[in-house]
Amino acid sequence: PLVCDGRVVGFVTPHEHRWGHRLGPIFVLPEYRGRGLVTAYYRARPSVRFCAFVSDSNPASRRLHERTGFVNWRRGNGGWFMRREQMP
């Protein structure tokens, strides 16, 4: 769960994948978006290689992933698989 102010306001669904740790889907209640909850989750795990699918129709998710070090990796149907390598 993603918790803010003592309340569960969203979730990530982590699972191991051969290309890295994947958190899809990710959900945050609309009134808690933009507070950096998912960014904090990623930044708290610098030694983890992550991958994520980001839909072309979700520019907010693209911005979040780019801010946390993700880059386009493979084109998928309707979006990009993005990857973030382990951080030093």
Side-chain angles (χ1 to χ4, degrees):
L2 295 172
V3 178
C4 184
D5 301 328
R7 179 177 175 209
V8 174
V9 298
F11 61 85
V12 297
T13 52
H15 57 278
E16 291 295 324
H17 193 276
R18 70 177 186 229
W19 298 320
H21 198 82
R22 192 150 178 220
L23 296 181
I26 299 169
F27 176 78
V28 178
L29 289 171
E31 61 268 29
Y32 285 88
R33 293 177 187 165
R35 297 186 186 200
L37 298 171
V38 178
T39 297
Y41 185 93
Y42 282 136
R43 289 192 174 148
R45 292 155 180 82
S47 63
V48 176
R49 180 183 357 167
F50 284 108
C51 64
F53 179 78
V54 179
S55 170
D56 290 335
S57 64
N58 194 340
S61 181
R62 169 157 296 282
R63 286 189 304 272
L64 176 143
H65 285 89
E66 287 173 345
R67 276 194 316 268
T68 54
F70 283 74
V71 295
N72 287 343
W73 175 52
R74 290 183 172 186
R75 181 75 183 150
N77 186 15
W80 282 91
F81 288 94
M82 298 181 78
R83 187 187 233 170
R84 186 195 85 180
E85 295 298 328
Q86 297 171 330
M87 301 174 92

